[in-house]
Amino acid sequence: MSRRIYIETYGCQMNVADSELMLGRFRSAGYERAELPGEADVILLNTCAIREHAEQRIYGRLGELSRYKVRRPGVVLGVAGCMAQHLKGRLLERVPLVDIVVGPDAYRDLPLLIDQAREEPVLATRLSRDETYADLAPARADGVRAWISIMRGCDKFCAFCIVPYVRGRERSLPVGDVIKQVEHAAAEGFKEVVLLGQTVNAYRDGDVDFAELLRRADRVHGIERIRFTSPHPADMTDRAVEAIATCAKVCPHVHLPLQSGSDAVLDRMRRTYTIAHYETLVAKLRAAIPGLSLTTDIIVGFPGETEADFEATRAAMLRTRYDAAFVFKYSPRPGARSAEWPETVDEAEKTRRISLLIEEQKQTSLEINDAAIGGEVEVLVEGPARRDPKQWFGKTLQFKTAVFPHRDENVGDTLRMRVAEVSPYTLFGDGVPAAIRTAEDVTV
Ligand code: 5AD
Ligand code: SF4
């Protein structure tokens, strides 16, 4: 009987893509996929280390999963991803039931490492300067959207961030391999691709920059939508803005992390841009791309963030009027530069600051969505909504969730939905018949 692998994914979309890559490796080694940990011979957690909370969750989950090992001692329990790379051998010491700790650059030989882990604990956390897995085929989950990593690692070393230490140096996949993956996704029936990288717009392969890559991806037949995440404001060239604006399939949505609205804090964060530069970029994007949806990441409570700094962030957020903002409390990450700096904002004050931003952003999101009522949006159908299966959902071009009464639409169809009601995060259709383009219609 073949062996069975179960993977649970935490953190960002890069990890989702990496889990599919790992599943591809296991598939080539003859494994089948298990849907539940209790049915698996190998249980892997693909982890995140961006904030301390992420690591706490994993410890809890490892505690729960260890019962499968106690019940069946042959089961291999492993930790992959950023937390594995961050803690290395300390993870084996702290959770002795873990058999293998494997970092983001050691997935190529994973089935082999698992065999070794059946004999003795394995630590595979060497980072690589050139591993991109460009030649490996991921086992993608069914759906309308395929995640494609186009670069790995990060060279920015923002003071708060652990990513450069756990994912290593920035490296791009060869353009030919990226385009092959886009073509392959189209052949598998995916309608949308999301190009991924920690600083995705820093992509470069020889003369091919991110703008040129978008143009080449835009020509791939069968793909209807192209997204990318996350760009860094300092790497967003005029060429890239123009490519986003002119490529027909590239969606009008940019996730542009702000982090702070105070130049003093941005400088200490080593973000390499000023608020003026950021806002000029936003103005350029908005002028070039009609209907652009903008989302962002913000950190509150960075060491030394004064009340005035925070107010500058708040004002910047309100000026830009984002469609959505993800706001985080600063979390010191051992290894990152700012972890050595004293924390000056206490937990209660971080809570006050984050709550205020979340509340004000919710209001802005609602106002922006309110303005969509009565109009039509184009929705790529994904399937039944979680709460009520009579309702289906999909994403708009702006990456907003749209929920509508299901009639005979299929997954992968594109529908024009009239917006009847909204919440800050969702658009609701009223079920008035609208034009449908079925998944089989070849329109691109
Ligand atoms: N503390 C809080 N938030 C962080 N982020 C990255 N590192 C930290 C940290 N140490 C946030 C940033 C980034 C997002 C993915 O996570 O806002 O853009
Ligand atoms: Fe972290 Fe900064 Fe790199 Fe983003 S750009 S992954 S925040 S170091």
Side-chain angles (χ1 to χ4, degrees):
M1 212 186 79
S2 68
R3 289 183 165 151
R4 291 164 68 97
I5 166 77
Y6 171 83
I7 303 186
E8 220 165 79
T9 308
Y10 295 80
C12 65
Q13 285 126 337
M14 293 287 288
N15 265 10
V16 174
D18 279 358
S19 288
E20 294 181 343
L21 196 100
M22 288 189 250
L23 285 169
R25 297 312 286 152
F26 282 107
R27 188 175 55 189
S28 334
Y31 279 76
E32 275 173 31
R33 193 169 172 182
E35 295 302 327
L36 295 167
E39 300 166 353
D41 306 286
V42 179
I43 300 174
L44 267 186
L45 298 188
N46 190 9
T47 62
C48 171
I50 197 106
R51 283 169 291 274
E52 194 191 337
H53 174 71
E55 293 192 350
Q56 292 309 332
R57 264 181 87 195
I58 299 296
Y59 282 124
R61 188 65 180 137
L62 283 171
E64 287 166 18
L65 290 172
S66 55
R67 69 190 151 111
Y68 297 109
K69 268 211 72 119
V70 175
R71 217 180 286 160
R72 285 196 297 146
V75 169
V76 174
L77 180 59
V79 181
C82 298
M83 180 183 175
Q85 188 68 41
H86 183 211
L87 296 177
K88 302 195 177 82
R90 275 170 289 159
L91 202 46
L92 292 172
E93 282 161 29
R94 175 150 174 196
V95 192
L97 281 175
V98 167
D99 301 292
I100 174 165
V101 171
V102 51
D105 282 347
Y107 298 154
R108 184 173 286 272
D109 299 320
L110 195 49
L112 212 72
L113 295 170
I114 294 288
D115 288 341
Q116 289 169 16
R118 293 180 208 281
E119 310 297 325
E120 57 179 355
V122 169
L123 186 62
T125 50
R126 182 171 300 172
L127 287 175
S128 159
R129 283 194 170 267
D130 47 23
E131 177 62 275
T132 60
Y133 306 120
D135 56 320
L136 302 185
R140 294 209 163 88
D142 292 342
V144 299
R145 184 172 299 119
W147 312 100
I148 299 179
S149 295
I150 66 166
M151 49 124 51
R152 301 185 70 87
C154 181
D155 281 354
K156 290 282 192 286
F157 289 94
C158 299
F160 51 79
C161 189
I162 197 171
V163 166
Y165 305 95
V166 294
R167 286 194 166 264
R169 297 288 57 74
E170 177 189 306
R171 62 217 107 116
S172 296
L173 274 74
V175 62
D177 290 299
V178 174
I179 296 304
K180 245 188 260 162
Q181 289 207 36
V182 178
E183 288 167 348
H184 196 233
E188 285 182 307
F190 290 98
K191 299 288 166 198
E192 176 174 313
V193 292
V194 188
L195 308 178
L196 297 177
Q198 298 297 340
T199 51
V200 73
N201 53 340
Y203 177 89
R204 179 163 289 276
D205 176 24
D207 291 341
V208 177
D209 61 1
F210 181 65
E212 174 61 19
L213 181 74
L214 285 180
R215 291 187 193 284
R216 294 197 191 177
D218 199 52
R219 293 199 286 266
V220 175
H221 191 75
I223 291 296
E224 295 179 15
R225 292 180 170 188
I226 300 171
R227 304 184 185 280
F228 58 89
T229 201
S230 292
H232 191 292
D235 290 324
M236 193 64 102
T237 60
D238 289 348
R239 282 171 53 79
V241 175
E242 204 195 318
I244 300 165
T246 54
C247 290
K249 298 173 189 172
V250 175
C251 293
H253 169 220
V254 176
H255 181 73
L256 198 65
L258 170 69
Q259 312 300 5
S260 170
S262 150
D263 279 340
V265 174
L266 285 172
D267 185 47
R268 267 182 289 119
M269 286 178 163
R270 294 168 212 232
R271 289 291 290 175
T272 73
Y273 54 83
T274 59
I275 186 70
H277 173 270
Y278 182 98
E279 291 188 346
T280 304
L281 177 56
V282 166
K284 263 190 214 166
L285 285 162
R286 285 198 160 138
I289 306 159
L292 178 72
S293 147
L294 259 183
T295 55
T296 198
D297 292 337
I298 292 172
I299 296 176
V300 295
F302 187 73
E305 184 187 77
T306 62
E307 181 62 21
D309 291 325
F310 169 69
E311 284 301 327
T313 300
R314 185 180 168 200
M317 190 186 88
L318 292 175
R319 270 198 310 274
T320 295
R321 287 182 68 76
Y322 294 98
D323 291 80
F326 302 89
V327 192
F328 307 103
K329 289 181 185 173
Y330 170 71
S331 165
R333 306 309 293 131
R337 280 208 184 99
S338 64
E340 287 150 35
W341 306 341
E343 281 212 69
T344 57
V345 184
D346 66 24
E347 186 58 28
E349 179 59 15
K350 280 184 193 168
T351 302
R352 186 190 73 84
R353 291 181 186 180
I354 196 174
S355 308
L356 193 58
L357 293 191
I358 289 172
E359 204 41 54
E360 289 185 338
Q361 178 55 49
K362 200 167 158 190
Q363 186 56 36
T364 307
S365 298
L366 186 61
E367 285 168 14
I368 292 175
N369 286 353
D370 259 338
I373 292 179
E376 284 189 0
V377 288
E378 197 177 305
V379 182
L380 177 56
V381 177
E382 293 194 34
R386 229 176 304 154
R387 288 199 201 120
D388 172 6
K390 288 205 283 299
Q391 303 277 319
W392 275 35
F393 83 103
K395 291 284 185 186
T396 67
L397 289 166
Q398 280 83 2
F399 207 54
K400 300 204 177 176
T401 301
V403 172
F404 56 91
H406 180 241
R407 265 193 285 257
D408 50 6
E409 301 84 359
N410 292 308
V411 174
D413 289 350
T414 299
L415 124 141
R416 288 197 70 78
M417 181 189 95
R418 208 174 71 192
V419 181
E421 274 179 63
V422 299
S423 75
Y425 312 111
T426 312
L427 310 178
F428 298 93
D430 54 11
V432 172
I436 298 176
R437 198 164 76 216
T438 69
E440 277 69 43
D441 289 346
V442 178
T443 51
V444 279

